[in-house]
Amino acid sequence: MDSSQPAIKPYTPDESGFWRITLALMLASLLVFSTLYVFQPLLPIFVNEFQVSATESSFLMSAAVIAMVVGLFILGFAADRYGRLRLMQLSLGVTVLLLAAMPFTSSFEWLVVLRLLQGFFLAGIPAAAMGYLGEEVDPNHLGLAMTLYISSNALGGMGGRVAGGYLTDVFDWEKTLFILSAFGVAAALLFLLLLPSERYFTKGDQPLREDFRGMLVHLKDRYMLVLFLMGLLLQIVFTAIWTYIPFHLQSDPYQWPLKWISFTYFAYVLGVLAPPLAGRLSNHFGLTKVMFSGLFILIAGAGFTALQPVSWIMAGLGVLCSGFFIAHSMAAALVSKSADHHRSGASSFYLISYYVGVAVGSTAVGTLWETWGWPGVISTALVFILIIISLPVFKRNSGGGEEV
């Protein structure tokens, strides 16, 4: 910032700017994650309509996730170099246009191509949002802002799955995407109106190669690497349980129909409610302590799902969501708070590891399910959580001291 300009302080909850930022990013997050996950319950529909296999239908999810990982790296770098606000605006605009175009496609292959393009631009919001928050929000209140943003991730994921399945059952998949597109237009317009301009961002004037090296410095920081590893392991645990719980509930002794299983996604409501409370607590106890509390809640949730009574399994899924989103939101806030340069790049590396965890948790854990069933999945999840707890994330905070 220019020293001749009057001092500008980061936003706090006492200012309207804080809540404008929070609401704008929550709306963007709702759109991004509902769009990402709306296809998940619709895969059987595409199997019948396009005469593809179940594995081929899953390309509609995997293509978007893979492209999102690539987008997080490229767009995270672009956000640090050219600015975050315009990138997020572009991301939302392209996301909505592609969503509206999909019902007009006549082939499954073109639908996958559009999802691939969409996944890349979906990354624009998560790649830039945490860096934007890290610069514009007071560090003492970053935990609250970050957890509200993360809770909207959970709400978007739940909403996309539940609404996508319900609306497609009532109408068809094309009308479902049109309805989501209409929501996208409204969310994008409100985003444009609400989100304040960047006040702390300074456009990089370094040569491109030198700027790129600055972003890669995060990969040499052991503290950051530990947080990136945490994002990977957290998502492996969470994805593994949610990917194979339908198979568990469809098998003996439960024999649940798919309609009943879809109701288990309402456990995400606790994932929406828990992070804002955790954000408030982090203002008093610190990000790291609250994060470790979330990990112990995660252990309890995973353990409950190992019990046979279905009431314990349902309770366990709710507790699992609470613990996961608390730990994830605190880890994301630590990344943003600890990075003193290339914040969007640091956040992107965390999210890249996070979405790699989606792929590993959904596919690699399948062998455990096929060999050992639900006990194999849960045992592996518990081992991974214990590994996370043993990671030395308490050794440093952004101020260089210890945060325990």
Side-chain angles (χ1 to χ4, degrees), residues 112-142:
V112 172
V113 169
L114 291 177
R115 279 290 279 176
L116 195 69
L117 289 172
Q118 189 178 61
F120 180 84
F121 285 98
L122 283 173
I125 295 298
M130 291 195 288
Y132 179 93
L133 286 172
E135 287 186 340
E136 301 297 328
V137 173
D138 187 289
N140 293 324
H141 301 284
L142 180 61

Side-chain angles (χ1 to χ4, degrees), residues 320-333:
L320 182 89
C321 283
S322 298
F324 170 79
F325 282 106
I326 288 172
H328 167 46
S329 60
M330 294 296 103

Side-chain angles (χ1 to χ4, degrees), residues 8-290:
I8 300 175
K9 295 182 179 180
Y11 292 110
T12 68
D14 295 328
E15 301 172 87
S16 62
F18 177 93
W19 297 107
R20 286 176 61 196
I21 289 173
T22 302
L23 181 57
L25 291 179
M26 287 179 72
L27 285 169
S29 176
L30 282 173
L31 174 59
V32 165
F33 288 96
S34 60
T35 299
L36 179 63
Y37 289 110
V38 69
F39 280 85
Q40 197 169 56
L42 308 186
L43 298 184
I45 302 294
F46 296 114
V47 168
N48 295 326
E49 179 153 342
F50 292 104
Q51 298 299 304
V52 295
S53 68
T55 300
E56 289 171 331
S57 74
S58 70
F59 293 164
L60 291 169
M61 285 299 302
S62 58
V65 171
I66 291 168
M68 197 171 185
V69 169
V70 176
L72 284 167
F73 183 80
I74 296 174
L75 298 180
F77 175 74
D80 280 326
R81 185 170 179 85
Y82 303 111
R84 300 181 176 94
L85 184 60
R86 290 185 183 277
L87 178 67
M88 290 191 284
Q89 292 170 345
L90 174 66
S91 172
L92 291 181
V94 175
T95 293
V96 174
L97 285 175
L98 291 172
L99 196 59
M102 287 177 187
F104 297 103
T105 56
S106 58
S107 72
F108 180 77
E109 290 76 13
W110 273 110
L111 197 57
V112 172
V113 169
L114 291 177
R115 279 290 279 176
L116 195 69
L117 289 172
Q118 189 178 61
F120 180 84
F121 285 98
L122 283 173
I125 295 298
M130 291 195 288
Y132 179 93
L133 286 172
E135 287 186 340
E136 301 297 328
V137 173
D138 187 289
N140 293 324
H141 301 284
L142 180 61
L144 174 60
M146 192 68 74
T147 50
L148 288 169
Y149 167 70
I150 295 294
S151 70
S152 65
N153 295 359
L155 186 61
M158 180 189 75
R161 291 175 174 107
V162 174
Y166 177 80
L167 291 173
T168 300
D169 188 55
V170 174
F171 304 110
D172 52 47
W173 69 270
E174 292 94 340
K175 289 185 177 66
T176 296
L177 295 188
F178 281 135
I179 292 170
L180 185 56
S181 301
F183 166 72
V185 170
L189 289 175
L190 286 171
F191 181 87
L192 291 172
L193 292 172
L194 289 170
L195 195 68
S197 299
E198 296 168 281
R199 303 177 304 166
Y200 289 91
F201 176 77
T202 302
K203 186 176 180 179
D205 55 2
Q206 296 175 304
L208 192 64
R209 179 176 296 180
E210 186 177 340
D211 200 17
F212 184 66
R213 286 176 179 171
M215 177 180 172
L216 294 180
V217 166
H218 295 305
L219 296 180
K220 299 179 181 179
D221 186 328
R222 291 184 179 181
Y223 180 77
M224 284 293 195
L225 287 175
V226 167
L227 290 173
F228 301 157
L229 178 60
M230 175 174 288
L232 171 70
L233 296 176
L234 275 172
Q235 189 57 269
I236 289 174
V237 169
F238 191 68
T239 301
I241 291 175
W242 275 106
T243 298
Y244 294 99
I245 192 68
F247 294 96
H248 180 49
L249 293 175
Q250 282 183 326
S251 62
D252 293 328
Y254 309 106
Q255 297 290 330
W256 275 26
L258 195 58
K259 182 178 181 180
W260 290 9
I261 292 172
S262 67
F263 293 145
T264 63
Y265 289 118
F266 282 109
Y268 271 66
V269 170
L270 291 178
V272 173
L273 298 176
L277 175 60
R280 290 284 187 184
L281 293 174
S282 71
N283 292 336
H284 300 284
F285 300 106
L287 296 170
T288 308
K289 287 182 178 178
V290 177

Side-chain angles (χ1 to χ4, degrees), residues 356-393:
V356 169
V358 173
V360 175
S362 59
T363 304
V365 177
T367 302
L368 295 171
W369 166 258
E370 292 171 357
T371 306
W372 291 292
W374 191 242
V377 174
I378 293 301
S379 298
T380 303
L382 290 172
V383 169
F384 278 16
I385 299 171
L386 292 175
I387 292 173
I388 296 171
I389 291 174
S390 70
L391 294 174
V393 295

